[in-house]
Amino acid sequence: MSNDNEQFIRNAYQVAEIQDIRGWIDCFTAEGTFTDHSVGVTYRGSEVGEPVRNYAQAFPDMHRELYDVYTQDDIVVVELSLNGTHRGELSLPAGRIGATGNTIQVPCCDVFRLREGRIQSSTATPPERSCWASSEC
């Protein structure tokens, strides 16, 4: 089961990588949540597609480089980095940041809890200080 869960999450990252918003939403249960600690927001239901859309708009070349994947039962933990060039507007709860042209390589950790083969909850935890929590991107 753990290997299936790992493969499911790897495929979910690929869905986000190709910016398939509907496909990303479909990876979640109907009541699934995505918590993005870098901006302090929890997305619910169909809102879980918003971070993929937002970051794809701001970083059209966004690439998620997966380093390590750990599984235990229905929990999958992924160490990764988000890499890209800030070429579009980034919408944040505090406002919008226009394109800067700066590149990012943001290490982070994602924790997924699965239920019946889909994501029940996902928590994205950036390093102590995330670049897109400020105007440094």
Side-chain angles (χ1 to χ4, degrees):
M1 180 69 127
S2 289
N3 194 29
D4 291 343
N5 288 341
E6 177 180 340
Q7 191 56 51
F8 176 80
I9 293 301
R10 286 182 181 276
N11 289 338
Y13 277 112
Q14 184 57 36
V15 167
E17 192 81 8
I18 63 170
Q19 302 170 7
D20 177 357
I21 308 304
R22 180 77 249 162
W24 176 252
I25 293 167
D26 290 344
C27 290
F28 287 76
T29 63
E31 65 282 348
T33 62
F34 177 89
T35 300
D36 184 347
H37 284 289
S38 71
V39 295
V41 175
T42 296
Y43 303 91
R44 300 178 188 292
S46 64
E47 293 175 346
V48 299
E50 181 57 23
V52 173
R53 186 207 59 75
N54 186 36
Y55 296 137
Q57 175 182 300
F59 302 92
D61 63 345
M62 174 70 76
H63 170 65
R64 293 150 182 89
E65 184 174 349
L66 308 186
Y67 298 132
D68 291 304
V69 179
Y70 309 93
T71 62
Q72 183 173 347
D73 302 322
D74 286 339
I75 299 172
V76 181
V77 177
V78 182
E79 292 180 291
L80 71 149
S81 70
L82 304 175
N83 309 307
T85 308
H86 189 195
R87 294 191 174 121
E89 185 174 83
L90 179 62
S91 297
L92 300 171
R96 299 174 189 264
I97 300 173
T100 64
N102 293 343
T103 59
I104 62 165
Q105 184 176 15
V106 180
C108 54
C109 177
D110 293 345
V111 178
F112 297 92
R113 294 181 186 279
L114 303 176
R115 191 181 83 212
E116 298 175 5
R118 293 174 65 197
I119 301 167
Q120 175 65 39
S121 67
S122 173
T123 303
T125 305
E128 188 174 315
R129 186 163 178 253
S130 175
C131 81
W132 50 65
S134 69
S135 61
E136 293 179 17
C137 287

